[in-house]
Amino acid sequence: MSFALRSASRAIPRATSVNATRAFSSTVVYQKTATETVKDGVKTVDKAVSDKIVDGINAAESAGQKVKEATENAMGNKSAAGKAEELKGKAKGAAEEAKGKAKGAAEDIKKSL
């Protein structure tokens, strides 16, 4: 029987031992939880949105400066404060005119009833 055992042991390959190296560390493997993953996603979205908002603010400031320069050039000798007062007076006059028309229309309606 020793012959049978010897021939059987040769036919079946033995498990080879492989020396696996392990990292020398005493910490647990770091894995993100679902909450941390969501937080990271929200931070990424927040960063992208805030960058776009900042770009929009910068564009608005630039447009404001261009409008200011264009109005100063268009007004010629008039100062910006003088032009603003002129426009304010015109707007006030138009508001008073509209108010008077509304009063007149209300009185006409009262008379017709």
Side-chain angles (χ1 to χ4, degrees), residues 5-109:
L5 287 177
R6 282 187 213 160
S7 62
S9 67
R10 288 183 195 151
I12 301 172
R14 293 184 183 182
T16 58
S17 65
V18 177
N19 290 336
T21 59
R22 294 184 184 177
F24 182 75
S25 177
S26 61
T27 60
V28 178
V29 177
Y30 179 74
Q31 295 178 351
K32 290 184 179 181
T33 63
T35 305
E36 291 169 338
T37 304
V38 170
K39 284 182 183 179
D40 288 345
V42 169
K43 284 180 184 177
T44 303
V45 170
D46 183 44
K47 177 93 170 133
V49 169
S50 63
D51 288 345
K52 291 298 178 185
I53 289 173
V54 168
D55 290 343
I57 290 171
N58 290 339
E61 287 178 359
S62 173
Q65 289 296 327
K66 288 179 183 178
V67 167
K68 184 177 178 182
E69 291 172 6
T71 55
E72 287 175 356
N73 291 339
M75 285 191 292
N77 294 337
K78 294 184 181 180
S79 67
K83 185 67 173 176
E85 288 296 323
E86 180 183 335
L87 292 175
K88 182 179 173 184
K90 286 182 181 180
K92 200 173 204 180
E96 290 295 326
E97 184 180 334
K99 185 178 176 183
K101 285 183 181 180
K103 267 188 178 179
E107 289 177 10
D108 289 343
I109 291 173

